[in-house]
Amino acid sequence: NAGVTQTPKFQVLKTGQSMTLQCAQDMNHNSMYWYRQDPGMGLRLIYYSASEGTTDKGEVPNGYNVSRLNKREFSLRLESAAPSQTSVYFCASGKDRGLIETQYFGPGTRLLVL
Amino acid sequence: RKEVEQDPGPFNVPEGATVAFNCTYSNSASQSFFWYRQDCRKEPKLLMSVYSSGNEDGRFTAQLNRASQYISLLIRDSKLSDSATYLCVVNQYADTGNQFYFGTGTSLTVIP
């Protein structure tokens, strides 16, 4: 049981390049999330998917697209990377326990855009 | 105004001390509340959920005051291993699903 896995762990891009961050979970959770974490800003929600086949914008969606490929996988795409997208990206999945959903995070992807 | 606000610290306390962190949230419709722990360069991990009645897990006690929109975490008998950043998290439910809002975190260093 690997939990939430993310690839790659590190990436350096040049401005204008594109890339896809991969996320997979093996806990059979319905909800999945993408966050970015910047110094002094806390984690901010980029996109989320409440269930397979649905995706919705979070707090900071501009410059990103997502795909909920199946129940296990939720990818984040940067079509044209900008230096402002330099950040640590965390994927999470959510376990429902009645009205409370607990999030489990992947190890993160550290992205540097030059 | 930020959805969740925390004192960033840092809090530097000796082993065995008791330390308390506070957090306020702006949306009174928020429905569930959590404390997460994040070690340096690692992912956040759930420490505990926070209930209106208050809840305790070993040395950790969490309290929620809905009227004041205030959440607290108390750590008793601090250990070196408690050194980390503690994130206050608030959940708001929308028709499209849950949205979680994170505070910027409070840094704790426990000193031998």
Side-chain angles (χ1 to χ4, degrees), chain B residues 19-110:
Chain B
V19 61
F21 305 139
N22 302 318
C23 166
T24 57
Y25 60 96
S26 61
N27 190 332
S28 60
S30 299
Q31 290 154 313
S32 51
F33 310 88
F34 309 87
W35 283 101
Y36 277 72
R37 171 194 168 124
Q38 186 172 26
D39 294 292
C40 187
R41 300 181 69 79
K42 298 286 190 180
E43 72 272 23
K45 293 185 178 177
L46 178 68
L47 180 65
M48 57 199 305
S49 302
V50 188
Y51 305 114
S52 295
S53 54
N55 48 303
E56 187 173 311
D57 182 1
R59 298 181 292 107
F60 298 84
T61 300
Q63 295 277 354
L64 167 64
N65 184 321
R66 283 190 182 270
S68 301
Q69 296 180 203
Y70 168 98
I71 305 159
S72 66
L73 177 68
L74 183 76
I75 305 175
R76 292 181 299 279
D77 188 23
S78 299
K79 311 291 185 192
L80 295 177
S81 57
D82 294 334
S83 297
T85 297
Y86 291 83
L87 307 175
C88 176
V89 184
V90 168
N91 177 28
Q92 295 168 15
Y93 184 78
D95 288 343
T96 51
N98 285 305
Q99 290 215 24
F100 291 83
Y101 295 91
F102 286 71
T104 54
T106 299
S107 174
L108 171 67
T109 300
V110 181

